[in-house]
Amino acid sequence: MNGAIFVKRYDDPDRCVAAAAHHAWLAGLGSGVRLPALVARGARHLVFERLSGRAPGVEDLPRVAAALGRLHAAAHRDELRAARLDRPHTTSTGLVIPGFASPRQAALHHAATAAGIHGPVIDAVLGRPGEPVTFYKDPNIRNYLANRNEVAVIDFDDLTLAPFGYDLAGLLVTASMTYGRLADRSITRCLRAYRLAVAPQLCSLADLKRYAELHHLLTLRYLGRNGYRHPWPTVRPWPDPFLTELN
């Protein structure tokens, strides 16, 4: 960081180009959610406005959930109403957003096998192409900034299509692995805030639980790093839904 800017560097220039395109698309949605301005770019770096704030704590999670919901609602309304989860979608700006299953299927099956979870259970969660579509943008709790009553979204490296609630589940998993088990009232408030922003029918608690297990499998390799101190099975606020489905 230097003064009022933040420089994000990339080893791969294609990743740099993609992150800039993701940022431009998200900024153009008109969601009302704060994003840092992209002020300059090079072949392997992006220069962003540096926003003040801190990583959200547990008390900030409902506001983060609401901001995430506003982004998801705007994306569906303006760009993704005709998208399908099982195929890439080209936006009005020419950005090609990959489908939901294909970018993560191999990694999920590998992690599921290691965890003793049957592959068909994973496929059942991934294989629902007719659902309303929004997007995934790494929902790690560290990719938000909380500042008084405002929540800003940062980090634009990854973007795929996703069902409503998938990123909310990721937010709750990464917060739990960072801070410990979340109280039931915190989960309820986050789900309510998200649903108010999108629509009550677009994110069921049952889906949230299943999506959380996908995030758990994809985050396993980071346990003990990047602030992830608590294994999800020890802080999961409900019974393991995959075990319930297998029984």
Side-chain angles (χ1 to χ4, degrees):
M1 290 188 182
N2 178 24
I5 62 171
F6 172 78
V7 180
K8 179 71 181 285
R9 302 188 185 279
Y10 296 85
D11 294 331
D12 181 351
D14 289 340
R15 292 275 288 169
C16 183
V17 170
H22 299 161
H23 174 274
W25 182 71
L26 291 167
L29 291 176
S31 66
V33 177
R34 180 81 182 272
L35 278 68
L38 178 59
V39 297
R41 56 187 292 184
R44 295 176 182 268
H45 71 275
L46 300 176
V47 182
F48 291 100
E49 165 194 19
R50 189 176 77 176
L51 301 180
S52 61
R54 53 177 171 73
V58 172
E59 69 281 2
D60 301 304
L61 289 177
R63 291 193 293 124
V64 179
L68 191 56
R70 291 197 297 274
L71 273 170
H72 284 176
H76 179 77
R77 180 191 67 234
D78 294 348
E79 292 276 6
L80 302 178
R81 193 178 295 275
R84 284 177 55 91
L85 291 172
D86 60 344
R87 64 188 65 159
H89 179 80
T90 302
T91 71
S92 60
T93 62
L95 175 67
V96 178
I97 306 178
F100 179 53
S102 57
R104 51 184 57 86
Q105 198 155 24
L108 279 170
H109 277 273
H110 179 77
T113 299
I117 296 172
H118 294 285
V121 177
I122 301 296
D123 291 333
V125 181
L126 291 177
R128 301 163 70 178
E131 291 187 45
V133 176
T134 187
F135 65 85
Y136 157 88
K137 187 214 76 67
D138 188 359
N140 183 336
I141 193 170
R142 294 156 192 81
N143 289 337
Y144 304 89
L145 287 175
N147 183 6
R148 298 179 183 173
N149 292 324
E150 183 181 61
V151 171
V153 176
I154 57 176
D155 190 280
F156 310 98
D157 292 354
D158 299 303
L159 195 70
T160 73
L161 301 178
F164 283 90
Y166 183 73
D167 272 14
L168 176 62
L171 171 69
L172 298 178
V173 168
T174 60
S176 299
M177 292 178 68
T178 301
Y179 300 125
R181 178 170 178 159
L182 300 177
D184 290 347
R185 65 180 178 277
S186 182
I187 301 287
T188 300
R189 290 178 63 202
C190 288
L191 185 55
R192 182 185 300 122
Y194 182 80
R195 283 173 162 170
L196 283 173
V198 295
Q201 71 272 21
L202 290 180
C203 179
S204 72
L205 180 59
D207 282 341
L208 186 72
K209 292 177 180 180
R210 286 191 286 268
Y211 296 149
E213 298 313 308
L214 300 189
H215 282 286
H216 158 54
L217 292 173
L218 294 171
T219 311
L220 267 173
R221 65 186 184 274
Y222 300 116
L223 185 63
R225 296 183 287 147
N226 304 328
Y228 292 132
R229 298 175 295 165
H230 305 279
W232 173 245
T234 69
V235 294
R236 182 190 286 115
W238 45 65
D240 185 339
F242 283 178
L243 289 179
T244 302
E245 290 177 12
L246 289 172
N247 293 331

